[in-house]
Amino acid sequence: MKTAELRKAFLEYFKTNQHTVVKSSSLVPHDDPTLLFTTAGMVQFKRALLGEEKRDYVRATSSQKCMRAGGKHNDLRNVGRTARHHTFFEMLGNFSFGDYFKKEAILFGWEFFTDHLQLPKDKLYASVHEGDEEMGLGVDQEALEEWARYLPQERILTLPTSENFWAMGDTGPCGPCSEILIDQGEHMACGPECEPGVCDCDRFLELWNLVFMQFNRKEDGTMEPLPAPSIDTGAGLERIAAVIQKVPSNYDIDIFQDIIGVIEQISGHSHGGDPNKDVSIKVIADHGRAATFLISDGVMPSNEGRGYVLRRVIRRAVRHGRLLGIEEPFLPRVAEGVLAAMSDSYPDIAKNKSYIQMALTNEEKSFSATLDRGLGKLQEEVDKLTKAGSKVFPGDTIFKLYDTYGFPIDIIMDLARDQDFEVDEEGFDHFMEEQRQRSRASFKISGVMETSEALQQLAAQGVTTTFSGHDRTEDQSVILALLTEDGAVNEVSEGQRVEVVCERTPFYGEAGGQVGDTGRMSGMGFTLEVETTQRTPGDVLVHVCEVLQGTVKVGEEVTLAVDGEKRKATERNHTATHILHYVLRSVLGDHVKQQGSYVGPEYFRFDFSHGEALSSEQLARIEKLVTQRIIENEDLTAQITDIETATAEGAMALFGEKYGDQVRMVAIGDYSKELCGGTHSHHTGDIGPFKITSESSVAAGIRRIEALTGTGALEYFQNQEKTLKETAALLKTAPHALADRINKLLLQQKELEKEVDRVKAQAMSRQFGPSSQDIREIDGVKVLSQQVTAASPKDLRVMVDNLRDQIKSGVVVLGAEAEDGKAMLICGVTDDLTDRFHAGEIIKQLSAKVGGKGGGRHDMAQGGGPDGERLQKALGSVFKMLEK
């Protein structure tokens, strides 16, 4: 059975058992600020498992894309060295939200493995929680009894809390778990004492973990039964595929062999030949797959957060490519292998091919340019430590090489150990933890309001807000909740700040880059000002308000009125981003993807993937094409459809956004289709004038355009025109003639500067004209060495030129003390003496006497140093220097 067939069989099995098949969520968690990546199948169901969110189903199944890299989840140094370590992998899972429990979960696991996959029953084991006296728990008798229906007692293991108890955190839902293991045979054993549940070797391999969430752990450590116990299971797809395909390693399954085949072609090395090269091949295969999926899900290499992890993964793969002798960029070709192996199951990676390859190419080239320099630094550190007699490679040095030069940690440590150094891993881990803390602090989820306990309770009750603002800016509703710092209250009075939840609202909650609406709420005897509107993960819209007048109570009827002018301005900008996105892809290529945006009433910014700055010609063309689309006055249409239909019609999704089964597809004419819940102009002509105000870099491979529309653009043009007219008036010309007038003024300025230099030279020559006692003759050569007053090295050059002309033949050395106390030095040698004296060598020696450096040509050189007090002595040494 191929891996794709296994995935399909799993989902189909649970579908026939009344589970809703849920599409894998993005690797970027939509509404969990505690996670960098989606690390398990339960992440997208976390709120449902916590009871904070009601879904249309109580049973679910999925094959979830997961990413674990670094920290407690995965040591990158093990990837490629073991049979099972990965960064990216897929987790099969089935979930129950208060529906079935242990009996059914165990039945499903046993039936799927033995009936559908036909795994040998006599090779399967199960483990259950042995109990924990401190927790007040005995052995999981219910799970024991259920497993006894399928397995003999000797193949049912009882294991401690460390192995068979799962918790979502220090507090909250938790419970015992049950693992299904398979005996792969003695040839996979770590030794004669190998036992299931004791060894981590691959003989007794864990295939599936069934988590029974039945308790809620309180802050004091006590546990109370949950009112609706749930099931959360996880089974590694690659791991099960390896067992079914009867191969010793995950890297030997079909999808990895497809990717490894590409790496073999690029490198000329075959997998299974040299153990060291095998490690590099497997690292590239794993990391190439991870990078492909991360970039497809909108992550770009950077120095913080998720982008930092991606950068590490790519650079580690590049370094292993070097170990295989690959010097040219190769990861885009590895990505093609990933696409060939997995795009049937994940069509998004095929759609994003050019975007993925652009990001990989840019990062690989960037790192390759610094790799050799980094290796040199690494060797410098080794030599320094060797000279000092140390045999310990310090943790701070490892981190510096890693953080500054992007060096993969395992390479640094391997090279250090190869030269018989001990590695200060503890010290390195300390610096890495500090980096992780900075990284965790750097990322947040925009458009998702942090949910208070009161809001969680509302969501758990199934409360949602109906948004009516796509076709109106005023509506009637009922107040469902009033939330203050003290939690939910029944009423608030004038002057209080409050979060208001209504049954329905025309106010748009901040999401997708669009700001939340502002406006007013009013009812019988009360008025509130809405300062902003936020959207919570549970689809509750929260109006952040101040009570301007009266007393507001839960249950009262209310009129909600959005600030119409701000809404229209925001809509103009939002619709313009859709047109701009289309035009950018038309002009620059289909690698362009939206990376983020801000859409407010004043202006908008649009971040997109592209590897280089846009030229002024490109920006002018983009402005023109956007304006043409606006003038065409196309209608905007929106329809609610399922995600598969929208995707099939070519609708583009916004990276990082969470989409349900039903999505809103916004179309402009027949050229732009995007999944978007925001508000828009009804016709493109409503946008009015359009103007790009800036284009800049946000991060490697990401550019940003800021622009104005409507009255904002008009005001920009009027201000520009005003500035133009004022400038023309100052220069006594017409606006259309400004360029010619300024060019003439610049030419005049250059001529005047030349004249000033000439006059200054004459004045300086008179002021510092050499007298007979200033000039000495050394072996028939005139030598002038003198301290003068000069404001800059340029003034010294003018003096030297004039003095050389006056003495006709000779060497002139001048020095001056700058305002900051530093010494400036210059030397000029006439053309007839440059075969005997080198101005650069003279200045080099003199600069050293004032603590600095210098040099230059045979006929002219300059230098200096920080010690101006030694200038006079240095100038006095010129004569003896030249005598030699």
Side-chain angles (χ1 to χ4, degrees):
M1 185 182 283
K2 300 292 185 183
T3 305
E5 295 169 336
L6 169 60
R7 185 193 300 110
K8 183 178 180 182
F10 181 89
L11 297 176
E12 284 295 328
Y13 168 76
F14 280 99
K15 185 177 180 180
T16 60
N17 283 283
Q18 293 77 52
H19 289 67
T20 297
V21 177
V22 181
K23 183 182 176 182
S24 171
S25 64
S26 169
L27 288 169
V28 178
H30 170 69
D31 55 8
D32 191 341
T34 66
L35 295 173
L36 275 176
F37 298 110
T38 298
T39 55
M42 58 75 60
V43 169
Q44 69 166 313
F45 302 112
K46 181 177 177 180
R47 290 175 54 77
L49 291 167
L50 287 169
E52 296 174 2
E53 177 183 88
K54 296 290 185 183
R55 301 224 173 183
D56 297 334
Y57 45 83
V58 291
R59 297 184 178 193
T61 184
S62 68
S63 181
Q64 175 63 50
K65 300 178 295 185
C66 297
M67 180 73 187
R68 296 180 181 179
K72 65 180 182 180
H73 285 307
N74 188 6
D75 187 343
L76 277 175
R77 284 167 280 178
N78 287 327
V79 175
R81 300 183 184 277
T82 70
R84 314 290 170 206
H85 265 92
H86 297 297
T87 52
F88 173 91
F89 64 98
E90 288 183 72
M91 185 176 283
L92 304 172
N94 59 288
F95 308 87
S96 164
F97 312 121
D99 185 35
Y100 63 82
F101 202 44
K102 296 180 185 178
K103 178 181 178 180
E104 294 85 351
I106 290 170
L107 166 64
F108 291 146
W110 178 260
E111 187 174 89
F112 180 70
F113 270 174
T114 58
D115 292 356
H116 290 260
L117 299 188
Q118 296 184 349
L119 295 180
K121 296 180 181 180
D122 61 344
K123 297 293 183 183
L124 294 178
Y125 288 73
S127 68
V128 300
H129 188 226
E130 68 178 14
D132 191 310
E133 190 174 332
E134 288 186 13
M135 291 182 176
L137 297 178
V139 66
D140 190 348
Q141 194 63 40
E142 185 181 351
L144 272 176
E145 291 173 2
E146 288 302 325
W147 276 119
R149 297 171 182 265
Y150 311 106
L151 290 170
Q153 193 62 45
E154 63 269 18
R155 283 195 276 126
I156 304 175
L157 317 171
T158 55
L159 297 179
T161 296
S162 59
E163 299 294 326
N164 272 67
F165 194 90
W166 185 90
M168 195 172 282
D170 293 335
T171 60
C174 58
C177 49
S178 180
E179 296 173 349
I180 305 175
L181 304 89
I182 189 168
D183 181 358
Q184 297 200 89
E186 292 184 5
H187 65 288
M188 301 286 277
C190 59
E193 304 298 322
C194 186
E195 293 182 30
V198 176
C199 301
D200 286 330
C201 69
D202 287 340
R203 176 177 178 179
F204 297 101
L205 184 66
E206 176 201 332
L207 291 182
W208 203 342
N209 188 21
L210 317 176
V211 178
F212 311 131
M213 288 206 293
Q214 63 188 96
F215 300 109
N216 179 44
R217 179 153 43 196
K218 297 182 175 180
E219 289 187 4
D220 61 4
T222 59
M223 293 189 296
E224 61 182 12
L226 287 170
S230 297
I231 292 293
D232 159 27
T233 82
L237 175 66
E238 294 86 352
R239 201 175 270 219
I240 298 175
V243 171
I244 292 175
Q245 295 174 20
K246 295 182 172 60
V247 292
S249 161
N250 290 6
Y251 292 96
D252 295 306
I253 65 176
D254 57 311
I255 53 174
F256 267 114
Q257 284 302 295
D258 290 343
I259 301 167
I260 285 172
V262 174
I263 300 167
E264 289 176 327
Q265 291 175 7
I266 298 170
S267 67
H269 296 288
S270 297
H271 182 235
D274 181 332
N276 290 325
K277 289 186 168 50
D278 282 355
V279 169
S280 292
I281 289 171
K282 288 187 284 188
V283 167
I284 294 169
D286 173 274
H287 289 9
R289 188 169 74 141
T292 297
F293 276 89
L294 282 171
I295 295 168
S296 182
D297 277 359
V299 180
M300 289 291 281
S302 69
N303 287 327
E304 60 184 27
R306 300 177 181 108
Y308 192 58
V309 176
L310 173 59
R311 173 160 283 168
R312 287 179 63 195
V313 165
I314 292 174
R315 292 186 167 188
R316 194 168 184 269
V318 172
R319 174 57 186 152
H320 277 278
R322 285 287 187 93
L323 294 177
L324 294 177
I326 308 172
E327 297 291 334
E328 297 301 317
F330 65 93
L331 285 177
R333 288 180 61 188
V334 175
E336 287 184 357
V338 177
L339 266 60
M342 301 188 70
S343 61
D344 285 347
S345 302
Y346 292 99
D348 281 355
I349 59 175
K351 282 174 30 181
N352 295 327
K353 177 181 176 181
S354 62
Y355 168 71
I356 293 166
Q357 293 189 313
M358 177 213 67
L360 288 171
T361 300
N362 289 343
E363 184 64 18
E364 192 169 353
K365 285 182 177 178
S366 172
F367 182 51
S368 293
T370 60
L371 184 57
D372 291 330
R373 186 162 64 96
L375 282 170
K377 290 287 183 184
L378 182 61
Q379 191 58 51
E380 280 180 23
E381 295 293 342
V382 169
D383 294 342
K384 191 187 300 181
L385 292 168
T386 302
K387 187 175 180 180
S390 172
K391 297 305 292 181
V392 177
F393 210 87
D396 60 341
T397 303
I398 299 171
F399 181 77
K400 175 187 169 187
L401 289 165
Y402 158 70
D403 194 46
T404 304
Y405 298 100
F407 255 49
I409 302 305
D410 62 328
I411 301 301
I412 299 172
M413 293 187 171
D414 286 349
L415 196 148
R417 289 177 178 132
D418 288 346
Q419 301 195 42
D420 297 324
F421 279 87
E422 291 182 28
V423 176
D424 176 20
E425 292 194 50
E426 186 176 334
F428 167 74
D429 289 340
H430 168 75
F431 286 99
M432 272 304 297
E433 182 55 33
E434 289 185 346
Q435 176 68 276
R436 289 189 194 102
Q437 294 291 347
R438 290 192 296 271
S439 181
R440 280 193 284 269
S442 73
F443 80 95
K444 64 178 181 177
I445 299 175
S446 62
V448 177
M449 187 177 179
E450 187 175 345
T451 311
S452 67
E453 186 176 339
L455 280 170
Q456 289 175 6
Q457 291 173 359
L458 283 178
Q461 295 164 15
V463 173
T464 59
T465 307
T466 301
F467 175 61
S468 61
H470 282 130
D471 55 6
R472 67 183 67 189
T473 55
E474 188 169 317
D475 206 347
Q476 311 295 317
S477 189
V478 174
I479 295 175
L480 296 179
L482 298 170
L483 311 174
T484 68
E485 291 181 352
D486 299 324
V489 296
N490 287 322
E491 65 177 62
V492 288
S493 301
E494 185 174 323
Q496 282 189 271
R497 292 180 59 78
V498 62
E499 295 176 351
V500 182
V501 178
C502 295
E503 201 170 68
R504 57 188 283 118
T505 179
F507 282 75
Y508 183 79
E510 181 179 341
Q514 181 175 334
V515 299
D517 278 331
T518 62
R520 291 281 177 107
M521 287 186 186
S522 58
M524 289 293 292
F526 66 83
T527 305
L528 300 95
E529 181 170 357
V530 181
E531 297 172 354
T532 186
T533 310
Q534 296 284 327
R535 181 184 301 274
T536 72
D539 286 331
V540 175
L541 291 172
V542 179
H543 309 84
V544 180
C545 304
E546 181 182 351
V547 183
L548 299 181
Q549 175 192 1
T551 299
V552 189
K553 298 179 181 180
V554 173
E556 288 193 300
E557 292 186 355
V558 63
T559 298
L560 301 100
V562 174
D563 185 322
E565 289 304 312
K566 285 187 178 179
R567 164 70 80 82
K568 286 179 182 178
T570 302
E571 288 175 341
R572 288 194 290 266
N573 283 329
H574 198 160
T575 303
T577 66
H578 284 227
I579 299 175
L580 176 63
H581 195 185
Y582 166 78
V583 169
L584 286 171
R585 287 171 62 83
S586 302
V587 173
L588 304 177
D590 61 7
H591 63 274
V592 169
K593 300 280 184 184
Q594 181 173 347
Q595 292 295 317
S597 67
Y598 167 84
V599 179
E602 309 89 1
Y603 76 104
F604 77 82
R605 65 171 180 260
F606 187 84
D607 297 346
F608 59 97
S609 52
H610 189 60
E612 57 189 14
L614 275 61
S615 66
S616 56
E617 291 80 9
Q618 286 175 317
L619 288 171
R621 185 181 174 204
I622 289 163
E623 276 189 339
K624 183 178 180 180
L625 290 174
V626 171
T627 301
Q628 284 178 350
R629 291 293 181 180
I630 292 171
I631 291 171
E632 287 168 1
N633 200 26
E634 293 271 16
D635 292 340
L636 270 81
T637 58
Q639 69 177 102
I640 305 298
T641 184
D642 59 87
I643 187 77
E644 289 77 15
T645 300
T647 303
E649 290 186 20
M652 299 189 68
L654 180 66
F655 284 138
E657 283 296 296
K658 179 182 178 182
Y659 298 101
D661 294 332
Q662 295 293 300
V663 295
R664 183 170 183 266
M665 181 171 67
V666 175
I668 304 176
D670 60 358
Y671 61 87
S672 170
K673 290 181 181 178
E674 295 193 25
L675 303 185
C676 179
T679 62
H680 286 275
S681 302
H682 295 297
H683 316 279
T684 60
D686 297 343
I687 295 171
F690 169 80
K691 177 61 185 174
I692 294 174
T693 56
S694 70
E695 190 273 342
S696 60
S697 172
V698 178
I702 300 179
R703 309 296 301 178
R704 170 174 291 173
I705 280 177
E706 294 189 0
L708 301 168
T709 65
T711 54
L714 178 62
E715 288 173 4
Y716 177 87
F717 291 134
Q718 289 175 335
N719 288 333
Q720 293 290 92
E721 184 180 23
K722 181 182 177 185
T723 302
L724 201 63
K725 286 181 177 178
E726 289 176 350
T727 305
L730 285 172
L731 298 179
K732 294 180 173 57
T733 188
H736 71 270
L738 260 180
D740 287 340
R741 178 66 173 144
I742 290 172
N743 278 329
K744 287 178 182 177
L745 288 173
L746 289 173
L747 287 173
Q748 289 177 18
Q749 181 181 338
K750 287 180 181 177
E751 291 299 321
L752 288 171
E753 286 175 352
K754 289 180 182 177
E755 180 64 19
V756 169
D757 288 344
R758 188 180 65 78
V759 172
K760 281 175 68 175
Q762 289 176 348
M764 290 174 182
S765 298
R766 287 192 296 269
Q767 182 182 355
F768 299 108
S771 61
S772 56
Q773 66 262 33
D774 295 326
I775 298 175
R776 298 188 194 181
E777 280 202 15
I778 299 173
D779 197 16
V781 175
K782 294 176 183 176
V783 179
L784 171 62
S785 180
Q786 194 172 16
Q787 182 169 346
V788 297
T789 301
S792 67
K794 181 181 177 182
D795 287 349
L796 285 178
R797 285 196 297 273
V798 171
M799 290 183 191
V800 166
D801 283 338
N802 279 281
L803 291 170
R804 279 192 308 182
D805 291 343
Q806 289 184 46
I807 65 175
K808 307 300 183 187
S809 175
V811 177
V812 178
V813 179
L814 299 180
E817 190 172 345
E819 288 185 3
D820 58 3
K822 293 180 180 178
M824 300 182 290
L825 287 162
I826 192 163
C827 175
V829 178
T830 55
D831 291 342
D832 60 315
L833 297 174
T834 52
D835 58 340
R836 295 177 60 186
F837 302 101
H838 192 297
E841 288 300 321
I842 294 169
I843 285 296
K844 184 177 180 182
Q845 293 184 48
L846 288 179
S847 295
K849 293 180 183 294
V850 292
K853 296 180 180 179
R857 306 189 308 268
H858 281 73
D859 63 329
M860 178 73 80
Q862 66 185 52
D867 196 350
E869 293 181 356
R870 297 169 62 188
L871 177 61
Q872 190 63 50
K873 187 175 180 182
L875 290 167
S877 70
V878 169
F879 304 107
K880 288 187 178 180
M881 184 193 304
L882 296 184
E883 283 176 357
K884 294 179 180 179

